[in-house]
Amino acid sequence: MAIEKIDHIGIAVESIEKWIGFYRDVLGLDYTGSEEVPEQKVRVAFLTIGDSKIELLEPTSQDSPIAKFLEKRGGGIHHIAIRVDDIDAAIARHHEAGAKLIDSKPRIGAHNMKIAFIHPKTAGGVLIELCEPFHS
Ligand code: CO
């Protein structure tokens, strides 16, 4: 199992429309589109930064995990996503190490990726997403 790169950094915002101007026009990142992820009740806007991305996450429902995050902490960095070439092996490795996983099996995330979250308690307070593209 190889760790490939930081795939993206997820930033929680109450409104993509409100914040896209800063990231695209002021910071100057390349906006490449947005997508709804019904399973996680979020809308995601993608901005390319080199070989990685910034994803702005906006809740589409009051019971979205992002809505809860915004309520508790306001906006800000929500998670860091690390791309691996074998997510099943990565999950197994975390299990063996006794790390706390939110997802014991991969699920479907944005960009047609298999994803699994590692609990922030295990990672010094950071929510880490493991991800693997379906066709890697
Ligand atoms: Co993500």
Side-chain angles (χ1 to χ4, degrees):
M1 194 272 297
I3 302 281
E4 295 182 339
K5 62 175 186 172
I6 291 184
D7 186 84
H8 62 270
I9 294 172
I11 297 176
V13 294
E14 72 273 27
S15 158
I16 287 171
E17 201 190 343
K18 181 175 170 188
W19 292 104
I20 191 76
F22 171 77
Y23 286 93
R24 184 190 52 204
D25 306 328
V26 183
L27 201 52
L29 305 184
D30 193 16
Y31 169 66
T32 58
S34 59
E35 180 185 324
E36 203 169 318
V37 186
E39 201 185 331
Q40 289 173 63
K41 296 174 180 161
V42 290
R43 190 173 167 71
V44 190
F46 307 106
L47 299 124
T48 301
I49 178 163
D51 202 22
S52 299
K53 290 186 292 290
I54 282 183
E55 296 187 351
L56 300 181
L57 307 157
E58 169 193 287
T60 54
S61 150
Q62 272 314 310
D63 60 345
S64 161
I66 296 300
K68 283 172 197 151
F69 180 87
L70 289 168
E71 223 170 78
K72 251 203 226 164
R73 303 217 233 165
I77 293 181
H78 177 260
H79 66 273
I80 293 176
I82 294 171
R83 192 189 284 205
V84 298
D85 67 348
D86 183 344
I87 197 165
D88 297 303
I91 289 171
R93 175 166 150 170
H94 284 81
H95 271 307
E96 270 163 42
K100 212 175 159 193
L101 288 148
I102 293 170
D103 304 296
S104 53
K105 270 190 250 159
R107 55 183 158 126
I108 309 300
H111 271 308
N112 201 27
M113 296 266 231
K114 293 185 268 186
I115 67 167
F117 284 102
I118 301 166
H119 200 284
K121 276 195 177 139
T122 282
V126 180
L127 178 61
I128 294 177
E129 173 189 334
L130 299 168
C131 63
E132 179 198 342
F134 267 102
H135 3 258
S136 61

